[in-house]
Amino acid sequence: MPNRDHLPSTPAQAWLSQAIAAIDADYQRSADTHLIALALPGLAQDGIDLYLKDESTHPTGSLKHRLARSLFLYALCNGWVHAGSTLVEASSGSTAVSEAYFARLLGLPFVAVMARNTSAEKIAQIGFYGGRCELVDNTSQVYERAQAIADETGGHYMDQFGYAERATDWRGNNNIAQSMFSQMARERHPVPRWVVVGAGTGGTSATIGRFLRYQRHATELCVADPAGSVFGAYHRSGDKGLTGAGSRIEGIGRPRVEASFIRSVVDRMLEVADVDSIAAMRLLSELLGRKVGPSTGTNLVGMLALAGEMRARGERGSILSLLCDAGERYLPSYHNPDWVQQQFGDCAPAEQRLRAALC
Ligand SMILES: *Cc1c(COP(=O)(O)O)cnc(C)c1O
């Protein structure tokens, strides 16, 4: 318990104190997310086990719930947010949904700056939590517009792409890595051979990568990166000035090198074709009996590629990844066969390839 003998003396201190207490209490009411063991008899027979941490079960439906909580506490404890501050974020949607939830918890106005093609479901959810959406034509315009709105309102730009890597305590404190590792305790391969994640902000890969080193685990970290993202080329070259077309898998892959993507903690990058991500999203939805989002498909492609390499070397072990969000947010898009056909063409050959890899 914090020491409350010295009560906050100014209204600003009192507001800050109750804001942090409100987030703390919300956290206290929360449960951890499940680690799902995938039932894949063919791989299991060869001693390879796959697991997904189900981040879709957070109150706001994605792994961004963790990030939003961390960013709010970081901003509050830095003294950047006050009673009545307008909070602004540049987002591809999921972060804004989660931040709108926390803004409502604190009674603060929230503005999300997003590309016009962001899923209608996410836009509706931001509105549900009382947030306002500002839509721009192109992903590359979100950052400047968000900063401009913060300046105009005297508010605060949350800047997930800048602060994601530092807002979360990577040593532990029940972060996603620590939770995954403790949930693995009774498995036959409790220390995973690989952890596979996608990178949007890069915050999750930074937290997990640092945790692996700090705990001195032999586990390696792989980032599965969609076509069009700049992270793969940046990992090879280290050139921070690189830009790309941008990803077509919502939530991951960026058109510019984000400050929160920490290249040196990533052991391996795998570039994943969009048709493979979508085929894997469908296969996994079938396997689990419920729909998952496209970035989770990208993760599964990465896991299966690494499982194939392990199998070829006769290596046994476990591979962990994330179920980032549920498919219900993408019913009119990635889970709509007509839309997929129009956007990405035929995914059937990719589906057949992946089915074979699952055996
Ligand atoms: C943000 C996001 C990711 C990637 O997580 P980061 O920690 O930002 O790199 C993956 N999937 C979805 C759906 C996301 O919203």
Side-chain angles (χ1 to χ4, degrees):
M1 279 296 281
N3 178 0
R4 300 221 171 83
D5 285 352
H6 300 284
L7 290 173
S9 53
T10 68
Q13 284 172 332
W15 183 86
L16 182 63
S17 174
Q18 65 80 31
I20 293 170
I23 294 177
D24 244 14
D26 180 78
Y27 183 55
Q28 189 66 35
R29 293 191 297 270
S30 302
D32 199 0
T33 59
H34 297 277
L35 188 68
I36 300 171
L38 290 182
L40 301 170
L43 284 173
Q45 223 164 45
D46 289 342
I48 300 169
D49 302 325
L50 269 47
Y51 300 83
L52 289 174
K53 188 154 176 66
D54 186 0
E55 294 291 291
S56 74
T57 62
H58 287 293
T60 57
S62 83
L63 77 172
K64 290 304 190 319
H65 198 77
R66 291 178 194 271
L67 173 63
R69 184 192 292 123
S70 295
L71 287 170
F72 268 69
L73 288 173
Y74 189 71
L76 286 166
C77 294
N78 274 314
W80 293 338
V81 174
H82 313 280
S85 291
T86 294
L87 303 178
V88 192
E89 184 62 290
S91 177
S92 67
S94 297
T95 304
V97 172
S98 300
E99 287 176 339
Y101 169 94
F102 285 101
R104 190 181 69 169
L105 191 70
L106 303 188
L108 298 177
F110 178 75
V111 183
V113 182
M114 302 184 295
R116 214 168 284 288
N117 62 3
T118 306
S119 84
E121 187 60 34
K122 286 182 189 169
I123 293 172
Q125 274 182 291
I126 292 161
F128 173 78
Y129 289 121
R132 182 168 79 73
C133 295
E134 174 95 6
L135 301 178
V136 296
D137 292 328
N138 197 300
T139 306
S140 58
Q141 301 169 315
V142 292
Y143 316 95
E144 255 181 54
R145 188 76 195 102
Q147 184 65 64
I149 294 173
D151 292 345
E152 284 159 23
T153 58
H156 174 63
Y157 170 31
M158 300 294 289
D159 192 6
Q160 57 167 332
F161 296 104
Y163 297 124
E165 57 91 4
R166 71 187 73 170
T168 299
D169 183 352
W170 48 269
R171 294 175 193 83
N173 191 16
N174 199 29
N175 69 33
I176 192 167
Q178 189 178 50
S179 165
M180 279 162 100
F181 270 76
S182 66
Q183 287 174 320
M184 285 294 288
R186 302 205 203 297
E187 302 306 302
R188 62 172 172 170
H189 306 297
V191 176
R193 173 68 186 81
W194 287 99
V195 175
V196 179
V197 296
T201 62
T204 307
S205 55
T207 299
I208 294 174
R210 289 167 177 157
F211 180 86
L212 293 176
R213 279 163 183 77
Y214 183 59
Q215 297 292 330
R216 290 168 283 137
H217 289 306
T219 311
E220 288 188 275
L221 174 64
C222 171
V223 166
D225 203 31
S229 171
V230 83
F231 289 135
Y234 169 62
H235 191 262
R236 283 191 296 277
S237 71
D239 179 357
K240 289 197 167 129
L242 287 172
T243 54
S247 148
R248 297 166 73 205
I249 302 296
E250 226 169 286
I252 54 170
R254 301 296 305 171
R256 68 169 205 189
V257 177
E258 303 295 353
S260 280
F261 180 80
I262 308 297
R263 170 177 174 254
S264 50
V265 302
V266 178
D267 299 297
R268 176 91 178 261
M269 297 288 303
L270 281 174
E271 185 174 309
V272 176
D274 292 338
V275 287
D276 289 342
S277 292
I278 287 161
M281 174 197 80
R282 287 176 178 167
L283 277 184
L284 190 59
S285 300
E286 197 181 293
L287 196 71
L288 297 176
R290 62 197 173 92
K291 291 184 171 63
V292 302
S295 74
T296 305
T298 310
N299 286 345
L300 180 65
V301 176
M303 293 172 95
L304 290 176
L306 296 169
E309 291 180 6
M310 286 173 67
R311 186 183 244 163
R313 289 194 297 260
E315 216 177 287
R316 304 161 69 84
S318 54
I319 306 178
L320 267 58
S321 189
L322 308 178
L323 197 172
C324 303
D325 63 359
E328 277 65 29
R329 283 182 175 173
Y330 312 99
L331 292 178
S333 54
Y334 299 90
H335 280 286
N336 172 358
D338 294 334
W339 185 88
V340 167
Q341 177 69 39
Q342 202 177 41
Q343 297 286 320
F344 301 100
D346 189 9
C347 296
E351 219 166 306
Q352 276 165 11
R353 265 200 318 279
L354 284 164
R355 256 180 225 286
L358 275 177
C359 295

